[in-house]
Amino acid sequence: MSQPPTGTVTFLFTDIEGSTKRWEQYPQQMKAALQRHDSILSAAIQTSGGYIFKTVGDAFCATFSSPHDALQAILSSQKTLHQENWPGEIGAVAVRAALHTGTPDQWNGDYFGPPVNRVARLLSAGHGGQTLLSLATQELVRDHLPIGVELLDMGERRLKDLFRPEHIFQVQAADLPSQFPPLNTLDARPNNLPVQPTPLIGREKEVREIAATLRRSDVRLLTLTGPGGTGKTRLGLQVAADMVDEFSDGAMFVNLAPIMDPALVVSTVAQTLGVKEAGGTPLVDSLKSYLKEKGLLLLLDNFEQVISVAAQVADLLSAAPRLKVLVTSRELLQVRGERNFPVSPLDLPDRRHLPPLERLTQYDAVRLFIERAVAVKPDFAVTNDNAPAVAEICIRLDGLPLAIELAAARIRLLPPQAMLSRLQNRLNLLTGGAKDLSTRQQTLRGAIEWSYDLLTDGEKRLFRRLAVFVGGRSLEAVEAICNADGDLGIDVLDGVSSLVDKSLLRQDEGVGGEPRFVMLETIHEYAREKLEQSEEEAELKSRHAAYFSNLAERIEPELIGPEQVQWLDTLEEEHDNLRAALRWSLDTRPRLALGLAGTLGQFWWRRNYYSEGRQWLAEALARSAEIEGEHALRAKALLWSATLANRQSEDVTVVHRAAEESVLEAERAGDVRVKCDALITLSLAAYRLNGPAANRQYVELALEAARAAGDRWSEARAMYQLGNVSLTAGEYASARDLFERSLAIFREHGDLSNIALAINNIGLVADYQGDIASATAAYEEALRISRLLKDRWGIAMYLGNVGTMQRAMGDYPAARSMLEEAETIGRDLGDLSGLCIDLFNLGFVLLLMGDYPGARAALRESSDTAFRANYREVAAESTQWLGRLAIQEGDHMEAIRLHREGLRLIADTQNKVVTAQCLARCGWAEVAHAHALTKQAGDGGSTTAFSLVQRGVRLHACAQEALNSIGVTIYHEEKSFEQESIQTARVILGESGFDAAYAEGATMSMEEAIEYALK
């Protein structure tokens, strides 16, 4: 069957009994045996019309439209497998199988929902060679069984999914084994594990890990910890169900949730186990005596409210050497020999990069939402329209199973998009759980409140104060903000440790290995409510803003030092707290907000938060009208506003105006460093507006100011920018010298970001002069540093440069890959200037690869983007390469038009290098047109062609002389186009005619040649 069956289907699940051990002992034989096994099953399933939707190791998962076909497939498979001559070392390959019929949910050829879970559990009950049917399948096939086949009634059994019992039937056939050990169901061993209303979704990995830990001989007590709503109880029950056969006396569940008096714990355990008081013997001694010889797994659920009697659990373990105890609790018992298994929320998709719809259900949180939603609204389905909302709901709910189940229960009234808009207040929305749950499990608020009520007064005070943080907290920040007046009433370290133990905080590793403490957002919302109800909120927010403003000020000078990566990571880690401080101070303390926004400018610039940084700066500057003076704060805020806008290629007049204002404010404040940086940003804007001359003027002013103040770092910044001015003018010796001098100073300061820039531009000089090896080495070093800094802007730029070197060396696939990665980053950052360059280079590579449609699309977008960013050099080059594409496609008139248009764009920018290259290409376009005319004329002597070639050679000569004078070569890949044009010109004009035309062009000035080309 090529298409998966839909609606009501019959599942066939199979696997090989004992395969793991045989794989370890006989890997080569098992490999051959598995290939034969796969072949037998695949053939039988497909011959009977089945659809194999999944194989995992030696397990097959298939569906059939007809239960009779499914039964026929497994009968055929079992007979062939039984008759097969398997290698003697591994013995017979015994396959167990299960069939169940139901109506599953289905996405992209895969199946989900209760029927899938049911057949998987039915399979786990069987043994090798045994085929089991559920009652649903038996009812459909019993009246039309194949000849010689019977169904043996195994009775109603409890499967280990803890769901409702299942009436099981075994397939009996004359030529197949019929005697097997007892079924692996919960009935095989004593237990009181309660039936669950729904199967467990996900958690397969956790179940395996917990079971493996419990199997260890040195583990007697294992505690599952986690906040309310993570599903500790359900997970513990599933582990107990899976392991019940491994304990001779089974598994027993003791529910301690209703017990608030620790003195009642022993009697509750004894009552569950059926232990009675005997005469004057204390009950605890009777319990120890009962357990002494028992091989038992004891599951103690909800231990947190009776934690004071934890030592009694240790006493029981000492008295009963074959006893193992599995505990669920929001905090550890803190007794000897205890092992901890923290139960995390369900795995979640990344909201920034949501997977395609068909892969969304690989995340357990999403699967749980879907299955619970379908249970209350059978026609619910995930679509392309609602999938992002479903994923975001699960993310907002921290992947907490209880919260997700409560949200899914609302699907009757609220579609995902509507539910999402109401999740601002999770605790009020998520109510109305199943009535058979305890009161605290019927609402998310109740689950959290249960933990809160168990805290001491000092812990409650610390818990609510911790709500002032956003995204996480360092121990230093907690001490400074939550206990500034020493009124907390408990030691901060002890309090934080206790909240971690009680699962209200989670400890992560922060920058430099320092501990960092985070709250699930659902718990955080509850803590915020408690803070808002107190009289401490305003004071704590003030302390919070002051602390993080001071932190940013302490870190700012380090962002140009040798440890800048660590300090940038620290600001990244505290970014949410810094945002909260900005938001609060904008509304209450505008001066603090202005200072903090300006202080963070360097961080936003280096870590590529361009749009966000500009927004904060704009708000802070708008509020600064209320503040008298503060020229230094305004200067810095204006500087970063201009710098970030320029990085995004914002309207150049906006950049120019903000940079000018920053220079004026810096002069009033006497802040040389800000003035120098503002002048450099002003120079970049002036270049985009008026060309290199204006650029040089502002950079020289910056250099003069830096030297007068003795500010070496600002001097290096100005020299670097002056090197760019020289580079544009074709003054390569001067450019290299300036870059190398600035690099030396940046190295003194350990300023990695600017070190990368200077190295990259030294590479540019080598690139322009045709030294591919040196250029490549420089670009790759800059890229390495940028990756270390996590500077995506730098990564994109240096990737693009390395890509151009790959292109120059003829490795077009590698070049394309790098340029496409750079393009993706540029789009993400909204960096128009970098994006237009990457698109140009990508279009160039695609043209060389012969992908003309791709080249045209990239070059056109490059040209459009360059116009938006006011980068005329890139617009000119992209336009001319569209002209080269037209030549390749034989449209020579269009080619000449585009080449002239490109030259017109660059002609008045004073960029000698690009202007000369554009002029040369205009000449080659005319030669190409002439060549086409001579081929049409057939005699090689067309007057028009002769005239065109003369013009082309003159333009080429003028451009070549200009390029020679500044020591630059054309693009490496253009040499073949140039040589082809020269050869064509020599054929048409003859050697003497070529030399005469070249001599005429060589005497032209650039201005004359441009005017001549554009006529």
Side-chain angles (χ1 to χ4, degrees):
M1 178 180 289
S2 59
Q3 294 298 319
T6 59
T8 299
V9 302
T10 296
F11 288 94
L12 167 61
F13 277 25
T14 72
D15 66 11
I16 301 175
E17 184 180 50
S19 61
T20 302
K21 185 176 181 180
R22 284 186 280 184
W23 268 109
E24 293 173 354
Q25 294 177 327
Y26 311 108
Q28 292 303 318
Q29 293 90 331
M30 276 298 293
K31 182 178 180 181
L34 186 60
Q35 289 175 345
R36 178 61 182 145
H37 158 274
D38 291 354
S39 175
I40 291 169
L41 276 167
S42 297
I45 291 170
Q46 292 169 4
T47 300
S48 298
Y51 175 79
I52 301 170
F53 67 90
K54 188 181 298 182
T55 58
V56 182
D58 56 42
F60 270 69
C61 303
T63 51
F64 297 78
S65 298
S66 163
H68 301 282
D69 292 341
L71 180 59
Q72 184 59 51
I74 191 57
L75 282 169
S76 172
S77 298
Q78 291 286 36
K79 290 177 182 178
T80 306
L81 290 164
H82 184 60
Q83 295 166 1
E84 186 74 15
N85 185 24
W86 302 103
E89 301 91 344
I90 64 172
V93 172
V95 169
R96 60 180 178 174
L99 284 82
H100 174 60
T101 304
T103 307
D105 303 312
Q106 185 179 354
W107 289 282
N108 196 43
D110 202 353
Y111 297 86
F112 307 90
V116 182
N117 302 324
R118 200 66 173 164
V119 70
R121 281 299 172 182
L122 182 60
L123 177 69
S124 67
H127 301 279
Q130 189 173 32
T131 299
L132 301 177
L133 273 65
S134 69
L135 177 63
T137 304
Q138 183 267 352
E139 289 285 343
L140 294 170
V141 301
R142 66 180 184 180
D143 295 331
H144 301 282
L145 292 172
I147 296 173
V149 175
E150 297 178 353
L151 299 180
L152 176 64
D153 190 337
M154 308 290 286
E156 192 172 81
R157 303 296 186 95
R158 290 190 60 203
L159 299 179
K160 291 181 180 180
D161 57 6
L162 297 173
F163 198 32
R164 57 173 172 76
E166 179 63 62
H167 203 128
I168 301 176
F169 298 83
Q170 176 184 305
V171 176
Q172 303 260 74
D175 47 357
L176 288 175
S178 59
Q179 300 299 314
F180 301 97
L183 293 175
N184 294 316
T185 59
L186 285 176
D187 317 90
R189 297 285 185 185
N191 73 87
N192 69 336
L193 302 177
V195 172
Q196 297 298 297
T198 55
L200 180 66
I201 303 299
R203 299 295 197 193
E204 292 87 355
K205 178 173 178 286
E206 290 90 336
V207 170
R208 288 195 302 271
E209 290 177 354
I210 295 167
T213 304
L214 277 172
R215 288 188 185 105
R216 290 175 49 177
S217 60
D218 61 333
V219 176
R220 304 278 312 287
L221 171 61
L222 179 62
T223 303
L224 310 183
T225 58
T230 49
K232 300 182 295 296
T233 298
R234 186 65 182 86
L235 181 57
L237 284 168
Q238 192 60 60
V239 171
D242 281 2
M243 298 188 71
V244 67
D245 295 330
E246 301 178 35
F247 293 85
S248 60
D249 294 291
M252 300 299 289
F253 170 72
V254 181
N255 181 15
L256 297 174
I259 309 302
M260 298 303 295
D261 184 353
L264 299 177
V265 171
V266 169
S267 61
T268 302
V269 174
Q271 182 181 13
T272 302
L273 297 178
V275 177
K276 309 291 184 182
E277 286 191 82
T281 304
L283 183 58
V284 67
D285 291 341
S286 297
L287 184 58
K288 290 178 182 178
S289 178
Y290 172 83
L291 291 171
K292 185 175 181 180
E293 300 301 329
K294 297 290 184 184
L296 181 71
L297 175 62
L298 191 62
L299 173 55
L300 302 178
D301 188 43
N302 286 288
F303 207 91
E304 58 270 359
Q305 75 272 18
V306 292
I307 205 76
S308 60
V309 295
Q312 292 181 350
V313 177
D315 289 343
L316 293 178
L317 287 166
S318 297
R322 296 172 60 208
L323 174 69
K324 293 205 176 194
V325 178
L326 180 62
V327 175
T328 74
S329 176
R330 301 189 191 188
E331 61 178 303
L332 290 169
L333 276 61
Q334 304 286 2
V335 298
R336 284 184 303 169
E338 180 182 28
R339 295 297 182 94
N340 180 30
F341 187 93
V343 179
S344 301
L346 297 172
D347 61 321
L348 293 162
D350 183 346
R351 59 160 51 98
R352 296 167 300 181
H353 305 288
L354 286 180
L357 176 63
E358 61 270 16
R359 295 216 314 270
L360 198 56
T361 52
Q362 72 184 12
Y363 297 96
D364 290 339
V366 177
R367 280 180 57 205
L368 178 62
F369 182 93
I370 293 170
E371 295 210 10
R372 298 300 186 257
V374 169
V376 298
K377 192 174 188 293
D379 62 346
F380 174 76
V382 179
T383 66
N384 285 320
D385 290 334
N386 67 20
V390 169
E392 184 64 23
I393 287 168
C394 295
I395 292 167
R396 296 255 193 110
L397 297 178
D398 298 312
L400 286 174
L402 173 60
I404 291 169
E405 295 204 16
L406 291 171
R410 296 285 190 184
I411 206 72
R412 274 197 208 93
L413 299 175
L414 296 173
Q417 293 90 332
M419 188 184 299
L420 185 59
S421 67
R422 289 166 172 80
L423 271 183
Q424 293 300 109
N425 192 330
R426 302 166 183 77
L427 301 181
N428 289 339
L429 177 69
L430 303 181
T431 61
K435 301 304 180 186
D436 57 342
L437 293 174
S438 64
T439 302
R440 64 186 173 85
Q441 289 177 303
Q442 292 181 28
T443 71
L444 187 59
R445 183 189 301 281
I448 300 170
E449 201 153 53
W450 176 265
S451 294
Y452 180 76
D453 288 342
L454 297 174
L455 301 178
T456 66
D457 288 343
E459 290 169 343
K460 288 178 178 177
R461 193 175 298 115
L462 175 60
F463 175 73
R464 69 171 179 260
R465 289 182 180 182
L466 288 171
V468 75
F469 294 92
V470 183
R473 326 130 172 85
S474 67
L475 196 58
E476 175 191 315
V478 172
E479 290 172 332
I481 296 169
C482 296
N483 199 30
D485 298 330
D487 62 343
L488 190 58
I490 57 172
D491 178 75
V492 169
L493 184 57
D494 290 344
V496 168
S497 179
S498 179
L499 292 178
V500 170
D501 289 343
K502 292 175 171 63
S503 303
L504 290 169
L505 275 181
R506 186 175 74 242
Q507 182 175 338
D508 289 343
E509 184 175 304
V511 174
E514 286 295 309
R516 187 164 183 81
F517 303 94
V518 297
M519 277 183 180
L520 294 176
E521 192 52 39
T522 44
I523 295 174
H524 195 187
E525 183 175 324
Y526 182 84
R528 282 197 299 269
E529 285 187 3
K530 293 298 181 185
L531 180 60
E532 289 165 3
Q533 293 164 9
S534 73
E535 297 179 354
E536 302 175 322
E537 183 180 18
E539 175 60 25
L540 279 164
K541 286 188 173 181
S542 176
R543 291 181 197 170
H544 178 274
Y547 175 87
F548 283 102
S549 180
N550 290 333
L551 177 69
E553 288 178 8
R554 292 202 314 269
I555 290 176
E556 186 187 25
E558 307 295 338
L559 298 184
I560 58 173
E563 296 179 344
Q564 62 185 217
V565 175
Q566 177 181 332
W567 291 114
L568 285 166
D569 286 346
T570 298
L571 290 177
E572 190 83 62
E573 184 174 64
E574 298 293 3
H575 203 181
D576 285 332
N577 280 308
L578 292 162
R579 288 165 172 143
L582 275 168
R583 177 51 55 206
W584 180 84
S585 56
L586 278 169
D587 297 332
T588 56
R589 297 187 185 175
R591 184 191 180 283
L592 183 66
L594 183 65
L596 180 54
T599 301
L600 290 174
Q602 183 99 231
F603 163 70
W604 287 326
W605 180 60
R606 290 182 184 270
R607 282 291 166 91
N608 318 131
Y609 290 103
Y610 307 139
S611 297
E612 180 181 349
R614 290 177 62 196
Q615 181 62 38
W616 287 118
L617 288 159
E619 290 188 54
L621 285 165
R623 295 300 302 271
S624 71
E626 307 167 14
I627 309 170
E628 293 293 332
E630 301 299 350
H631 299 297
L633 296 183
R634 281 185 55 79
K636 186 184 286 189
L638 285 162
L639 163 67
W640 289 113
S641 181
T643 302
L644 297 177
N646 189 66
R647 179 59 63 86
Q648 285 193 303
S649 308
E650 182 58 86
D651 181 351
V652 67
T653 58
V654 172
V655 179
H656 196 278
R657 183 169 58 250
E660 269 191 330
E661 289 184 45
S662 179
V663 171
L664 294 174
E665 292 283 15
E667 287 176 342
R668 294 187 187 108
D671 191 328
V672 174
R673 177 159 291 189
V674 170
K675 177 184 175 181
C676 289
D677 263 354
L679 281 166
I680 289 170
T681 304
L682 187 59
S683 76
L684 297 171
Y687 175 75
R688 290 167 61 194
L689 283 171
N690 302 309
N695 186 10
R696 185 183 295 272
Q697 168 193 345
Y698 289 117
V699 177
E700 287 176 342
L701 286 173
L703 183 58
E704 180 183 337
R707 284 175 172 165
D711 186 337
R712 292 268 291 161
W713 183 81
S714 293
E715 180 183 358
R717 288 267 296 140
M719 282 196 296
Y720 165 80
Q721 194 57 39
L722 194 58
N724 282 328
V725 175
S726 298
L727 186 66
T728 302
E731 300 163 0
Y732 294 130
S734 172
R736 179 185 288 276
D737 177 62
L738 288 162
F739 292 143
E740 288 177 344
R741 287 160 62 195
S742 67
L743 175 60
I745 299 174
F746 291 142
R747 289 195 191 279
E748 289 174 13
H749 286 77
D751 185 352
L752 292 176
S753 180
N754 280 306
I755 286 172
L757 284 170
I759 289 173
N760 176 75
N761 284 23
I762 290 170
L764 276 174
V765 175
D767 187 355
Y768 286 5
Q769 293 181 317
D771 185 350
I772 296 176
S774 297
T776 301
Y779 294 154
E780 287 178 344
E781 175 63 8
L783 178 59
R784 183 192 67 78
I785 295 171
S786 207
R787 289 195 190 280
L788 178 67
L789 288 168
K790 303 171 189 173
D791 174 11
R792 296 183 72 219
W793 178 88
I795 291 169
M797 180 168 74
Y798 307 138
L799 265 174
N801 287 347
V802 175
T804 62
M805 294 298 94
Q806 294 295 330
R807 182 191 72 202
M809 291 184 284
D811 190 348
Y812 300 150
R816 177 178 185 170
S817 176
M818 289 182 173
L819 290 165
E820 286 176 339
E821 184 181 350
E823 175 202 350
T824 298
I825 297 172
R827 290 189 192 282
D828 286 347
L829 296 178
D831 174 20
L832 297 184
S833 59
L835 179 60
C836 68
I837 294 170
D838 292 329
L839 284 166
F840 162 67
N841 284 314
L842 179 59
F844 194 167
V845 168
L846 293 174
L847 188 152
L848 293 169
M849 295 176 76
D851 180 0
Y852 295 164
R856 179 177 290 102
L859 291 168
R860 281 179 175 169
E861 187 180 357
S862 171
S863 179
D864 293 344
T865 306
F867 273 114
R868 287 168 56 202
N870 207 35
Y871 279 89
R872 283 189 286 171
E873 290 94 334
V874 182
E877 295 231 61
S878 296
T879 301
Q880 285 208 321
W881 278 97
L882 283 168
R884 166 53 60 179
L885 179 58
I887 291 175
Q888 299 298 108
E889 294 179 326
D891 190 348
H892 295 89
M893 293 302 293
E894 176 67 2
I896 289 176
R897 185 190 70 78
L898 287 166
H899 278 88
R900 289 178 178 176
E901 178 61 24
L903 179 61
R904 187 177 289 109
L905 288 170
I906 196 68
D908 62 348
T909 64
Q910 301 178 47
N911 187 318
K912 293 180 181 177
V913 176
V914 178
T915 302
Q917 289 175 328
C918 286
L919 188 63
R921 293 187 199 116
C922 283
W924 303 342
E926 301 220 12
V927 172
H929 187 200
H931 187 214
L933 289 175
T934 59
K935 289 169 71 176
Q936 291 172 8
D939 59 2
S942 165
T943 303
T944 303
F946 195 86
S947 176
L948 282 170
V949 173
Q950 284 182 318
R951 282 173 52 81
V953 172
R954 290 168 187 147
L955 296 176
H956 163 73
C958 178
Q960 190 60 57
E961 292 300 312
L963 292 171
N964 290 342
S965 70
I966 55 180
V968 70
T969 63
I970 62 169
Y971 285 125
H972 317 286
E973 305 84 344
E974 286 192 276
K975 288 180 179 177
S976 62
F977 298 147
E978 179 189 55
Q979 290 167 358
E980 181 183 332
S981 297
I982 292 172
Q983 182 62 30
T984 299
R986 290 185 183 279
V987 169
I988 294 175
L989 297 181
E991 290 297 329
S992 59
F994 178 89
D995 292 343
Y998 190 96
E1000 292 169 7
T1003 62
M1004 285 184 178
S1005 68
M1006 287 287 286
E1007 292 75 14
E1008 289 172 337
I1010 291 169
E1011 182 180 359
Y1012 178 62
L1014 295 179
K1015 282 184 179 179

